[in-house]
């Protein structure tokens, strides 16, 4: 029976979304039901992101706002325990509490399986808890088996990053690369499918660097893992994110050719187009290397669509170098992208590099970059009109009788569909393009209508 409530706010990447779900799984046996708001909650967890300054600062303004709820709970004779988890917690540690005394617990991404005992300690009056170590024994050994919350599920298979791009905090906040053994991954994937998942997105900070022991010994490659997972009956779609272009090997390319469950859509961040900038970023590849990788993937899977991340205004970036980024966008034709102004992060090498770019220049370059990306995305969305796309319906739409789902390329698609289509992949003929979604009609219904 649940007699207490927990509110968890998630910032940042999909790994944090996954971690939030797992924290709920860990807390549920201790009587914590998930709440939709921090008002009145017994436990509030902020699962934070340190990737850019704005993301990190948001946590402190949210903690400020939380004070009123904390106070109201105390007035009502209760006690609201406040925990800061995730990457800001890992980076700031005890310093975080000095800035925000309302915080009871600071825990990193690798220790949240211990959250119930941390909360118990606080409630016993044992004082604040700081737990930002990287335990030798992975947290995965202590997490309960996962269950799917809908037709599309996340599954963490790899964590941490050894690449040390010079702008990035992730290797410091998530720690060294760790890959979960294949048998564990397969068991989790099977459970997710048994509990309703039709699509699984494998997660890792550097997911395609995954290599680990196979179920019968011997090392498995990432391509091998994908091929095995694609065979699970009932698993219709397989995705993975985020990949590094330097970890795309021939075996992974072959998996895209051989495993139809692998969707023809890949998020493969390139960050920038100029070789000098890529080198200063420590990306380990040139623009030409990246294009060769894309060519190999497209040779294996000709319908493959790509998305990317971009950083503008990296230290020393000239106008000509920025133009190289626009050039690679045109060369690849990314149908979606995330793009950011470079944000200097404490302790990273790039923050100390000469030639920091003025904010006004970053703003202007970002606007031009996003304009070009939007043009390509809009053209791609328009090109979908008249085509029939397989759509995995995931939730009810705004209007009665409407469902919303995702195309292989992650486009949101809404269509009139019977409730029975929820959780299923159905062919949808695209008839319109909105600012953030596509409109379609069920193709199989159309056929039935015609036959009547
Ligand atoms: N592990 C993933 C995601 C890293 S963070 C990967 O390797 O791609 C997601 C994106 O944030 C990065 O791809 C990068 O484009 C951006 N990013 C990371 N550090 C940044 C910084 N200091 N300033 C601006 N953008 C940054
Ligand atoms: Fe950060 Fe680079 Fe690692 Fe991605 S590959 S998490 S950008 S250090
Ligand atoms: Fe942010 Fe940490 Fe993810 S810094 S992007 S929450 S790995």
């Amino acid at each position: 029976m649940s007699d207490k409530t927990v509110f968890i706010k998630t910032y940042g990447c999909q790994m944090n979304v996954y971690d939030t779900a797992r924290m709920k799984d860990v807390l549920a046996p201790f009587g914590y039901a998930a709440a939709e708001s921090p008002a009145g909650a017994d436990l509030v967890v902020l699962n934070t992101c340190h990737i850019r300054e704005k993301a990190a600062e948001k946590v402190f303004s949210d903690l400020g706002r939380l004070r009123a709820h904390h106070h109201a709970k105390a007035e009502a004779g209760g006690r609201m325990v406040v925990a800061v988890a995730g990457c800001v917690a890992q980076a700031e540690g005890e310093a975080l509490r000095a800035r925000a005394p309302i915080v009871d617990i600071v825990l990193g991404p690798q220790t949240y399986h211990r959250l119930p005992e941390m909360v118990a300690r606080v409630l016993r009056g044992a004082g604040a808890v700081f737990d930002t170590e990287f335990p030798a024994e992975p947290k995965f050994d202590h997490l309960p088996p996962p269950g799917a919350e809908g037709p599309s599920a996340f599954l963490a298979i790899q964590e941490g990053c050894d690449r040390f791009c010079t702008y990035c905090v992730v290797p410091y906040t998530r720690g060294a690369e760790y890959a979960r053994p294949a048998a564990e991954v397969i068991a989790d994937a099977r459970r997710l499918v048994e509990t309703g998942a039709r699509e699984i997105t494998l997660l890792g900070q550097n997911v395609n660097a995954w290599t680990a022991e196979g179920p019968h010994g011997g090392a498995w490659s990432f391509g091998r893992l994908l091929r095995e997972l694609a065979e699970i009956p009932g698993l219709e779609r397989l995705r993975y994110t985020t990949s590094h272009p330097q970890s795309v090997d021939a075996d992974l390319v072959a998996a895209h050719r051989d495993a139809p469950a692998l969707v023809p859509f890949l998020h493969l961040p390139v960050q920038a187009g100029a070789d000098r900038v890529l080198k200063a970023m420590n990306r380990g590849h040139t623009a030409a290397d990246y294009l060769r990788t894309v060519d190999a993937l497209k040779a294996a899977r000709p319908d493959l669509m790509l998305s990317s991340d971009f950083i503008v205004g990296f230290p020393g970036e000239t106008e000509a170098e920025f133009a190289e980024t626009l050039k690679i966008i045109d060369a690849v034709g990314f149908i979606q992208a995330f793009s950011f102004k470079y944000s200097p992060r404490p302790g990273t090498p790039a923050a100390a590099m000469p030639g920091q770019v003025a904010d006004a220049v970053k703003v202007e370059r970002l606007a031009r970059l996003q304009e070009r990306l939007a043009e390509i995305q809009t053209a791609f969305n328009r090109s979908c009109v008249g085509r029939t796309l397989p759509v995995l319906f995931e939730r009810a739409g705004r209007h009665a009788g409407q469902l919303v789902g995702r195309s292989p390329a992650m486009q949101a698609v809404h269509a009139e569909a019977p409730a029975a289509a929820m959780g299923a992949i159905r062919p949808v003929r695209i008839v319109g393009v909105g600012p953030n979604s596509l409109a379609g009609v069920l193709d199989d219904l159309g056929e039935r209508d015609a036959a009547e």
Side-chain angles (χ1 to χ4, degrees), residues 161 163-165 167-168 170-171 205 244 283:
C161 185
R163 287 217 169 255
F164 291 93
C165 301
Y167 50 80
C168 185
V170 170
Q205 268 82 40
H244 193 289
R283 289 292 291 178

PDB file of all heavy atoms in Angstrom, residues 161 163-165 167-168 170-171 205 244 283, ligand 2:
ATOM      1  N   CYS A 161      31.193   7.843 -20.261  1.00  0.00           N
ATOM      2  CA  CYS A 161      31.860   8.167 -21.521  1.00  0.00           C
ATOM      3  C   CYS A 161      33.350   8.352 -21.309  1.00  0.00           C
ATOM      4  O   CYS A 161      33.771   9.038 -20.387  1.00  0.00           O
ATOM      5  CB  CYS A 161      31.252   9.431 -22.125  1.00  0.00           C
ATOM      6  SG  CYS A 161      31.948   9.779 -23.749  1.00  0.00           S
ATOM      7  N   ARG A 163      35.272   9.452 -23.911  1.00  0.00           N
ATOM      8  CA  ARG A 163      35.750  10.182 -25.083  1.00  0.00           C
ATOM      9  C   ARG A 163      36.297  11.565 -24.761  1.00  0.00           C
ATOM     10  O   ARG A 163      37.096  12.105 -25.512  1.00  0.00           O
ATOM     11  CB  ARG A 163      34.635  10.281 -26.126  1.00  0.00           C
ATOM     12  CG  ARG A 163      34.391   8.955 -26.797  1.00  0.00           C
ATOM     13  CD  ARG A 163      34.060   9.138 -28.258  1.00  0.00           C
ATOM     14  NE  ARG A 163      34.080   7.867 -28.927  1.00  0.00           N
ATOM     15  CZ  ARG A 163      35.057   7.475 -29.742  1.00  0.00           C
ATOM     16  NH1 ARG A 163      36.078   8.275 -29.986  1.00  0.00           N
ATOM     17  NH2 ARG A 163      35.004   6.297 -30.314  1.00  0.00           N
ATOM     18  N   PHE A 164      35.818  12.176 -23.709  1.00  0.00           N
ATOM     19  CA  PHE A 164      36.323  13.479 -23.288  1.00  0.00           C
ATOM     20  C   PHE A 164      36.361  14.517 -24.402  1.00  0.00           C
ATOM     21  O   PHE A 164      37.401  15.097 -24.687  1.00  0.00           O
ATOM     22  CB  PHE A 164      37.709  13.332 -22.639  1.00  0.00           C
ATOM     23  CG  PHE A 164      37.648  12.630 -21.300  1.00  0.00           C
ATOM     24  CD1 PHE A 164      37.826  11.252 -21.218  1.00  0.00           C
ATOM     25  CD2 PHE A 164      37.377  13.332 -20.140  1.00  0.00           C
ATOM     26  CE1 PHE A 164      37.745  10.589 -19.992  1.00  0.00           C
ATOM     27  CE2 PHE A 164      37.291  12.683 -18.909  1.00  0.00           C
ATOM     28  CZ  PHE A 164      37.475  11.311 -18.840  1.00  0.00           C
ATOM     29  N   CYS A 165      35.249  14.740 -25.036  1.00  0.00           N
ATOM     30  CA  CYS A 165      35.140  15.900 -25.916  1.00  0.00           C
ATOM     31  C   CYS A 165      35.430  17.127 -25.032  1.00  0.00           C
ATOM     32  O   CYS A 165      34.976  17.166 -23.882  1.00  0.00           O
ATOM     33  CB  CYS A 165      33.748  15.991 -26.525  1.00  0.00           C
ATOM     34  SG  CYS A 165      33.322  14.522 -27.493  1.00  0.00           S
ATOM     35  N   TYR A 167      34.452  20.059 -24.650  1.00  0.00           N
ATOM     36  CA  TYR A 167      33.398  20.949 -24.148  1.00  0.00           C
ATOM     37  C   TYR A 167      32.510  20.283 -23.122  1.00  0.00           C
ATOM     38  O   TYR A 167      31.657  20.917 -22.518  1.00  0.00           O
ATOM     39  CB  TYR A 167      32.514  21.419 -25.323  1.00  0.00           C
ATOM     40  CG  TYR A 167      32.026  20.287 -26.195  1.00  0.00           C
ATOM     41  CD1 TYR A 167      30.942  19.506 -25.812  1.00  0.00           C
ATOM     42  CD2 TYR A 167      32.693  19.945 -27.376  1.00  0.00           C
ATOM     43  CE1 TYR A 167      30.522  18.426 -26.572  1.00  0.00           C
ATOM     44  CE2 TYR A 167      32.280  18.869 -28.145  1.00  0.00           C
ATOM     45  CZ  TYR A 167      31.198  18.111 -27.738  1.00  0.00           C
ATOM     46  OH  TYR A 167      30.800  17.037 -28.476  1.00  0.00           O
ATOM     47  N   CYS A 168      32.639  18.973 -22.918  1.00  0.00           N
ATOM     48  CA  CYS A 168      31.551  18.182 -22.329  1.00  0.00           C
ATOM     49  C   CYS A 168      31.802  17.734 -20.891  1.00  0.00           C
ATOM     50  O   CYS A 168      32.891  17.274 -20.546  1.00  0.00           O
ATOM     51  CB  CYS A 168      31.315  16.958 -23.221  1.00  0.00           C
ATOM     52  SG  CYS A 168      29.917  15.958 -22.694  1.00  0.00           S
ATOM     53  N   VAL A 170      29.964  15.296 -19.424  1.00  0.00           N
ATOM     54  CA  VAL A 170      29.440  13.946 -19.197  1.00  0.00           C
ATOM     55  C   VAL A 170      30.478  12.946 -18.662  1.00  0.00           C
ATOM     56  O   VAL A 170      30.185  12.180 -17.739  1.00  0.00           O
ATOM     57  CB  VAL A 170      28.726  13.421 -20.464  1.00  0.00           C
ATOM     58  CG1 VAL A 170      28.384  11.943 -20.343  1.00  0.00           C
ATOM     59  CG2 VAL A 170      27.453  14.219 -20.707  1.00  0.00           C
ATOM     60  N   PRO A 171      31.716  12.933 -19.201  1.00  0.00           N
ATOM     61  CA  PRO A 171      32.681  11.972 -18.646  1.00  0.00           C
ATOM     62  C   PRO A 171      32.935  12.179 -17.148  1.00  0.00           C
ATOM     63  O   PRO A 171      33.296  11.225 -16.450  1.00  0.00           O
ATOM     64  CB  PRO A 171      33.953  12.244 -19.459  1.00  0.00           C
ATOM     65  CG  PRO A 171      33.449  12.824 -20.740  1.00  0.00           C
ATOM     66  CD  PRO A 171      32.258  13.658 -20.356  1.00  0.00           C
ATOM     67  N   GLN A 205      25.377   6.899 -22.945  1.00  0.00           N
ATOM     68  CA  GLN A 205      25.993   8.182 -23.317  1.00  0.00           C
ATOM     69  C   GLN A 205      26.826   7.998 -24.578  1.00  0.00           C
ATOM     70  O   GLN A 205      27.024   8.927 -25.336  1.00  0.00           O
ATOM     71  CB  GLN A 205      26.892   8.693 -22.180  1.00  0.00           C
ATOM     72  CG  GLN A 205      26.168   9.600 -21.211  1.00  0.00           C
ATOM     73  CD  GLN A 205      25.397   8.810 -20.184  1.00  0.00           C
ATOM     74  OE1 GLN A 205      25.886   7.800 -19.701  1.00  0.00           O
ATOM     75  NE2 GLN A 205      24.207   9.252 -19.870  1.00  0.00           N
ATOM     76  N   HIS A 244      28.350   7.662 -31.140  1.00  0.00           N
ATOM     77  CA  HIS A 244      29.490   8.466 -31.567  1.00  0.00           C
ATOM     78  C   HIS A 244      29.922   7.973 -32.946  1.00  0.00           C
ATOM     79  O   HIS A 244      30.045   6.762 -33.157  1.00  0.00           O
ATOM     80  CB  HIS A 244      30.641   8.334 -30.573  1.00  0.00           C
ATOM     81  CG  HIS A 244      31.706   9.361 -30.796  1.00  0.00           C
ATOM     82  ND1 HIS A 244      32.545   9.323 -31.880  1.00  0.00           N
ATOM     83  CD2 HIS A 244      32.035  10.469 -30.107  1.00  0.00           C
ATOM     84  CE1 HIS A 244      33.367  10.367 -31.835  1.00  0.00           C
ATOM     85  NE2 HIS A 244      33.069  11.080 -30.768  1.00  0.00           N
ATOM     86  N   ARG A 283      36.920  15.372 -31.143  1.00  0.00           N
ATOM     87  CA  ARG A 283      35.895  14.432 -31.599  1.00  0.00           C
ATOM     88  C   ARG A 283      36.503  13.175 -32.222  1.00  0.00           C
ATOM     89  O   ARG A 283      35.838  12.155 -32.353  1.00  0.00           O
ATOM     90  CB  ARG A 283      34.966  15.109 -32.622  1.00  0.00           C
ATOM     91  CG  ARG A 283      34.057  16.145 -32.015  1.00  0.00           C
ATOM     92  CD  ARG A 283      33.013  15.523 -31.103  1.00  0.00           C
ATOM     93  NE  ARG A 283      32.024  14.740 -31.821  1.00  0.00           N
ATOM     94  CZ  ARG A 283      31.035  14.063 -31.231  1.00  0.00           C
ATOM     95  NH1 ARG A 283      30.931  14.050 -29.910  1.00  0.00           N
ATOM     96  NH2 ARG A 283      30.177  13.385 -31.935  1.00  0.00           N
TER      97      ARG A 283
HETATM   98 FE1  LIG B   2      30.155  14.198 -24.170  1.00  0.00          FE
HETATM   99 FE2  LIG B   2      31.661  13.644 -26.270  1.00  0.00          FE
HETATM  100 FE3  LIG B   2      31.120  11.739 -24.498  1.00  0.00          FE
HETATM  101 FE4  LIG B   2      29.193  12.641 -26.072  1.00  0.00          FE
HETATM  102  S1  LIG B   2      31.054  11.554 -26.744  1.00  0.00           S
HETATM  103  S2  LIG B   2      29.057  12.298 -23.879  1.00  0.00           S
HETATM  104  S3  LIG B   2      29.699  14.795 -26.312  1.00  0.00           S
HETATM  105  S4  LIG B   2      32.342  13.558 -24.117  1.00  0.00           S
END
